[in-house]
Amino acid sequence: MSDPLDQPEIRYKDSATYRRLGIAAIGLLAVGTVVYHQLEGWSWVDSLYFSTVALTTVGFGDLTPTSDGAKLFTVVYLFVGVSILLAFLNARMVRRRPFHPHDDGDDGGA
């Protein structure tokens, strides 16, 4: 039996989703960088650094938003951003995992 991931229509759908999520993740970093640069007056490097640290939930604490607008943006940015990054990482793992159409996850009760 052939591997379902070798079928072009499945590979295309999987690749398209992965590509869209990758573009969304990069776009999210770009948006965060521009917004923090504008709202906080940080350098481009500091803005990109904070966007990355915030979205990866590392949170070193060396930079923090100080204006109310930046704080509110950060709340929305993190909810949306973490969701997009988790979806992207999930799509990445699905692409790497072999697909077994007859594997229902039941280990036979063991």
Side-chain angles (χ1 to χ4, degrees):
M1 183 179 289
S2 69
D3 185 357
L5 291 178
D6 289 335
Q7 297 174 3
E9 64 276 1
I10 293 173
R11 183 176 300 279
Y12 175 76
K13 181 180 179 186
D14 182 51
S15 294
T17 300
Y18 179 70
R19 189 172 28 257
R20 280 192 301 266
L21 287 168
I23 291 168
I26 291 169
L28 194 64
L29 281 174
V31 166
T33 300
V34 170
V35 169
Y36 288 119
H37 178 73
Q38 294 296 317
L39 292 178
E40 291 294 320
W42 292 337
S43 71
W44 290 108
V45 171
D46 282 347
S47 298
L48 175 62
Y49 168 78
F50 181 78
S51 297
T52 305
V53 168
L55 285 180
T56 58
T57 69
V58 173
F60 290 125
D62 50 349
L63 290 173
T64 56
T66 56
S67 69
D68 288 344
K71 289 176 185 177
L72 291 173
F73 172 76
T74 300
V75 170
V76 174
Y77 183 68
L78 290 178
F79 277 119
V80 171
V82 169
S83 299
I84 288 173
L85 286 181
L86 288 175
F88 175 71
L89 292 173
N90 182 57
R92 174 74 177 149
M93 294 309 295
V94 166
R95 285 174 55 102
R96 296 179 57 121
R97 182 183 63 200
F99 177 75
H100 301 288
H102 302 293
D103 182 13
D104 61 3
D106 185 11
D107 61 0

